[in-house]
Amino acid sequence: MLLLALDTATPAVTVALHDGERVLAAADPVDARRHGELLLPGIDGVLRAASRSLDALTGIVVGTGPGPYTGLRVGLATAQAIGAARELPVHGLCTLDGIAWATGRDEPFVVATDARRKEVYWARYADARTRESGPAVDRPQDIAGRVAGVPAVGAGAVLYAGVFTGLLGEGRPLHASAAALAALAAEKLAAGEALPAPLPRYLRRPDAQVPKNYKVVTPPLSAAPVRRADGG
């Protein structure tokens, strides 16, 4: 087994290579505005660091969010493109599940990431491997009664620490980790579990919208005249 894992659903542009037993190499730069610029160099970097090539891969794992539309689609499109080019299976895992796995906790807790628009993406876990509810997107004040005092991690919990009052270890891990995502996927695959398809969890409509009452300022194209081949 040789899995390439990547996730761009949070500000981290994270990539890792996992051989089924351990992480061989990983890169985790954090830059919310450069997912497209950093992802491919990150993939190349971990392959070089592990002295492996794309030809050696047996599968790809990609974080499916939830996350902002623009960043999330970079990872998903890249994973699908590599998978199609190399005829590799592409598996999807919830980004929040990867963050949860990285905690190693065996007691209940909450993961929350920044969803912008003064909202958070969040989910509740029984332990590092078991999601009890979510993912969902909400305004922190709307879920205050459900998360107050509950152990919490993630950048969203840090941002709204007044609501997530059970903040753990300064909220770490803050962002997605491809190394954790790969380790979780490797365990599930080794156990014979079928992993989900790599479908995005947007949870809400994208920020960019077609303007309403859009005014057309160019004249409609007229159909070109059609002639028969015999000149008629």
Side-chain angles (χ1 to χ4, degrees), residues 128-140:
R129 198 181 191 280
T130 310
R131 178 162 25 103
E132 290 184 317
S133 64
V137 58
D138 288 291
R139 295 182 301 174

Side-chain angles (χ1 to χ4, degrees), residues 205 207-216:
R205 297 179 65 85
D207 292 333
Q209 300 288 335
V210 176
K212 294 181 179 179
N213 302 318
Y214 182 75
K215 183 178 180 180
V216 178

Side-chain angles (χ1 to χ4, degrees), residues 166-215:
L167 195 63
L168 290 171
E170 298 182 350
R172 298 185 184 282
L174 293 175
H175 306 303
S177 161
L181 202 70
L184 177 58
E187 182 191 273
K188 287 178 174 288
L189 289 171
E193 293 187 36
L195 297 185
L199 301 176
R201 298 172 182 263
Y202 293 127
L203 299 191
R204 67 185 184 200
R205 297 179 65 85
D207 292 333
Q209 300 288 335
V210 176
K212 294 181 179 179
N213 302 318
Y214 182 75
K215 183 178 180 180

Side-chain angles (χ1 to χ4, degrees), residues 18-64:
H18 197 288
D19 68 358
E21 296 183 358
R22 64 188 179 92
V23 175
L24 302 179
D28 304 283
V30 176
D31 191 328
R33 297 181 180 275
R34 300 180 65 209
H35 290 94
E37 298 173 46
L38 296 175
L39 183 56
L40 289 178
I43 293 172
D44 182 64
V46 298
L47 289 170
R48 288 177 181 272
S51 298
R52 303 296 177 90
S53 69
L54 288 175
D55 293 334
L57 296 179
T58 60
I60 300 172
V61 181
V62 59
T64 57

